[in-house]
Amino acid sequence: MSRSGVGGNPLRDERDRRLPRIAGPCGLVLFGVTGDLATKKIMPAIYDLASRGLLPPGFSLVGFARRDWDDQDFSRIVHDAVREHARTEFREEVWAQLSDGLRFVSGEFSDDQAFARLRRTIEELDERRGTGGNHVFYLSIPPRYFGDVVGQLKANGLAEDSGSAWRRLVVEKPFGHDLASARELNEVLEGVFPAEAVFRIDHYLGKETVQNILTTRFANEMFEPIWNSRYVDHVQITMAEDGGIGGRAGYYDGIGAARDVIQNHLLQLLALVAMEEPTSFSAESLRVEKQKVLESVSLPRRLDLAAARGQYAAGWAGGEKVAGFLEEDGVRKTSTTESYAALRLDVDTRRWAGVPFYLRTGKRLGRRVTEVAVTFKRAPHLPFGPHATEELTHNALVIRVQPDEGMTLRFGSKVPGTALEIRDVTMDFAYGSSFAEASPEAYERLILDVLLGEPPLFPRQREVELSWQILDPLIAHWADRGRPEQYPSGGWGPAGADALLQRDGRAWRRP
Amino acid sequence: MTELSDVTSAEIAAELVRARTRAGSPVMGMVLTLVVVTDEDGAEAAMDAARAASREHPARLLGVVLGDGRGRGHVDAHVRTGTGGSGEVALIRLRGEVVRHASSVVLPLLLPDAPVAVWWPADAPADPAADPLGALGQRRITDAAAATRRRTTVLRTQCGAYSPGDTDLAWTRLTRWRALLAASLDLHPGRVRSARVGAEAHSPSADLLAAWLELRLKITVERVTTSGPGITETSLTLADGEVRITRPGGGLATLSSPGRPDQSVALPRRELPDLLGEELRRLDEDEVYAALARRVGSRRRRT
């Protein structure tokens, strides 16, 4: 690249960092337009991208669903979703740019004629809006329909790249429910689309704070030297939700916390915290390092001692009377699905030997929080009296992923006014409560990356398979161990989870 | 909110700390100090815009109102901690001889280590970097379009005095235009033979856009006067036709290019907080603007 133009374009200059990357001409076909995800996340994110000037002129959005709608009906749905959930201000000119390119195709996923109509719609858009044959197919639908849809796309010639035009496929988790089903699903997807055209969305990876884990580690000098088993005692990765399963019983019962959250979000967080420095921040280098660390993760041999699970019991949470897991609508009374899961993992590398990673996630816990706490060892020698350091615990670096994105450092400090009394204090870095409001939503970043064809933030199939390989033995172990323990709603999980850490002489942090 | 009358910087600094503690959190999450240099009439609007921009970049905002320079020096301050996490705000009114020593008031109030940006919402010094307040900042933000004096020459004068770290909102206003033009040329490679920029008569942004195109494309750009608002048209002539962006109403634009259907694209005139937000995202020298400023600054007056 030279100063006199990047890629032959004289208006581009690598020093010109104001110029955003606008995606080339393209359109997006959305399957499943009435779901929560579509209306609360995807449609608003598309509007916000347009509003930030990052969508190509002519960008088109095609909705595909069973509803008996025309383009106007779809346009109203998108309009309402944008009005209610978009982050940026609603402006008529932005809406005018978007609404010209809205189309709706009505039909079943198995209906040949509907897909023929979809093909004609796409061809019409290429011609009238200049989308250039570049299209993203976004499957915001249950995975059981993936086969039908990609099969239809293939049959209608919509799946292949032709000339310079590209086709990409976006899928959301779950990526299977165990290793075998993940492979099966992948055969369906990668049987039709090439591996590099399949984008798996784990929206956690689009969050600024998650991306910031790598910057914190690798852009600074002060963290990396102590980021190893010599100084780190253990790591706790928590994703807690205060809500119950709500209306998701149909999906959740039979899946459970481990599959729903640990397999993807928590193992990805673990990979980012534990990985070695990548040679660059390219998708390929990151993938290599994440893969390496996931390959070295192991479950302890005694699974009964290394994991805990539970179901929330009826009770009071945050001043509200709530039902227990087994009383939720749509949950089988005999369900053994866990709403809480915790486990210990080891990373068998020189850097992490002997440093356990404790992962936990659950519903109806004390508050909604996702964080990574790196807990350091105690100083090898404390030159103070025997009582001076009673209140001093372990130093900790806590990365808060959400909410209140930021970082906390806990360390000992002298209590003022005492002769010599040392107590833990916290030093806090907040992105600022309002910085978060101004910063782009994860979905904006991820959708833009799909349109630009930049995959660093998307897990590849190998990572998905490795995660299942880690979890499958535990899920099998639980399958014939009766019912999960009940835990009080609004607290911090079952007694078994506390015992899990106590056995190692440790305790969970209260997030 | 506290009013302090006839005070020194130390008293203002102490009040900022007290206000922070009163607000319940002594934590400082601020990443920079933004100094806003304004007159009394423009102060309120400028501080509102700066506060909105500090939602993206938590900042200590120091408004400096330069009053009448005659008589005994007098410093009044109006201190508050921002709501919604937007940091701290002090609006400092100077009159009397201290007006000529404003930097002595501001220097003790800068956040430790954090970068400093200085913004003149309306009239700026002819040489911002040589100005005592300007010299405190690594980023000096002027706005040639908002100048009330010497409107036709202000951009050229400022560019002539360019120092690393200077930037003008007339340049910031162009980012979307430039992004769209660059994206269009991605799709239409090939030499641009000529170009035209249409805008209202007084438009520093249009002058900069024309200069940027001349610099990058190594051609002469025709500047056409229209009734506005702002820039209304830019076109690039290629071997196989014309890439043209027209924006008659200041909001929705139309992009026409060879072999492609006309496309509408939102190209709204951006508000001040949005522009300031973009300026504060990067605080090192804008090398592209530097090259442009040297070109515009060395140009003789157009006849």
Side-chain angles (χ1 to χ4, degrees), chain A residues 4 18 22 93 135 166 182 264 321 371 407 465:
Chain A
S4 55
R18 289 176 194 259
I22 301 180
E93 61 263 20
H135 295 275
W166 49 256
N264 36 63
K321 194 163 196 281
E371 63 167 41
M407 205 155 63
E465 291 185 10

Side-chain angles (χ1 to χ4, degrees), chain A residues 16 51 129 434-435 437, chain B residues 55-56 84 176 178 186 263:
Chain A
D16 194 344
S51 162
R129 304 262 308 162
S434 37
F435 177 87
E437 161 191 335
Chain B
R55 298 166 80 81
E56 184 181 337
R176 294 253 182 128
R178 297 195 305 119
D186 283 342
Q263 297 170 323

Side-chain angles (χ1 to χ4, degrees), chain A residues 246-372:
Chain A
R248 290 173 74 222
Y251 162 74
Y252 201 85
D253 191 11
I255 293 289
R259 288 184 172 117
D260 187 40
V261 173
I262 296 184
Q263 181 269 334
N264 36 63
H265 305 323
L266 296 197
L267 284 175
Q268 284 286 332
L269 282 176
L270 179 147
L272 294 175
V273 171
M275 72 191 234
E276 296 296 322
E277 183 171 271
T279 49
S280 76
F281 268 56
S282 71
E284 185 56 22
S285 314
L286 285 173
R287 193 182 58 71
V288 166
E289 295 304 335
K290 281 201 292 184
Q291 205 167 300
K292 263 167 58 188
V293 75
L294 288 173
E295 275 165 1
S296 43
V297 168
S298 66
L299 266 175
R301 236 176 312 154
R302 290 284 306 273
L303 289 176
D304 52 331
L305 299 180
R309 61 180 172 149
Q311 291 175 334
Y312 56 85
W316 288 80
E320 200 186 351
K321 194 163 196 281
V322 296
F325 180 73
L326 294 175
E327 292 125 49
E328 297 275 14
D329 284 343
V331 173
R332 291 165 297 137
K333 298 293 164 259
T334 54
S335 172
T336 57
T337 301
E338 81 283 358
S339 67
Y340 177 100
L343 75 158
R344 172 190 164 136
L345 291 173
D346 294 287
V347 181
D348 302 328
T349 62
R350 172 177 281 247
R351 185 195 279 262
W352 295 117
V355 180
F357 283 70
Y358 299 102
L359 275 50
R360 62 173 161 169
T361 181
K363 302 216 174 262
R364 281 270 182 255
L365 297 182
R367 68 186 187 95
R368 175 176 159 264
V369 58
T370 302
E371 63 167 41
V372 177

Side-chain angles (χ1 to χ4, degrees), chain B residues 283-303:
Chain B
L283 295 164
D284 55 338
E285 183 181 15
D286 180 341
E287 294 173 61
V288 176
Y289 181 69
L292 205 56
R294 279 192 286 273
R295 182 184 177 90
V296 173
S298 64
R299 189 182 286 172
R300 265 185 270 137
R301 180 180 222 124
R302 281 188 191 225
T303 47

Side-chain angles (χ1 to χ4, degrees), chain B residues 39-243:
Chain B
D39 58 15
E40 188 61 57
D41 294 342
E44 195 181 326
M47 292 305 277
D48 283 349
R51 252 197 304 276
S54 74
R55 298 166 80 81
E56 184 181 337
H57 308 279
R60 173 177 281 185
L61 296 182
L62 301 176
V64 180
V65 180
L66 302 175
D68 188 342
R70 283 169 298 183
R72 184 182 78 85
H74 196 90
V75 180
D76 291 340
H78 176 97
V79 175
R80 63 188 235 186
T81 46
T83 49
S86 58
E88 305 167 332
V89 186
L91 183 60
I92 303 162
R93 292 186 167 84
L94 308 180
R95 59 197 151 84
E97 55 184 348
V98 69
V99 169
R100 287 189 298 280
H101 305 281
S103 64
S104 77
V105 178
V106 172
L107 182 71
L109 297 174
L110 302 178
L111 290 173
D113 262 359
V116 178
V118 184
W119 172 42
W120 292 271
D123 291 299
D127 182 353
D131 178 82
L133 281 173
L136 296 174
Q138 39 272 74
R139 196 74 166 176
R140 288 168 295 274
I141 305 164
T142 53
D143 189 354
T148 59
R149 302 186 297 264
R150 301 186 305 270
R151 289 174 33 126
T152 51
T153 57
V154 62
L155 181 70
R156 200 152 38 82
T157 316
Q158 258 166 28
C159 285
Y162 176 84
S163 291
D166 287 1
T167 178
D168 196 282
L169 294 185
W171 173 237
T172 325
R173 289 188 183 93
L174 287 175
T175 301
R176 294 253 182 128
W177 280 93
R178 297 195 305 119
L180 201 53
L181 288 166
S184 306
L185 281 201
D186 283 342
L187 302 176
H188 296 280
R191 215 177 78 78
V192 177
R193 299 176 168 191
S194 64
R196 191 172 63 239
V197 173
E200 58 189 285
H202 173 65
S203 170
S205 288
D207 300 342
L208 284 172
L209 181 59
W212 178 64
L213 290 171
E214 290 187 343
L215 188 69
R216 302 301 308 183
L217 301 174
K218 305 187 171 55
I219 53 170
T220 312
V221 175
E222 185 190 355
R223 171 85 159 76
V224 184
T225 300
T226 67
S227 54
I231 301 174
T232 51
E233 185 197 330
T234 304
S235 60
L236 308 175
T237 309
L238 300 150
D240 58 343
E242 207 178 41
V243 169

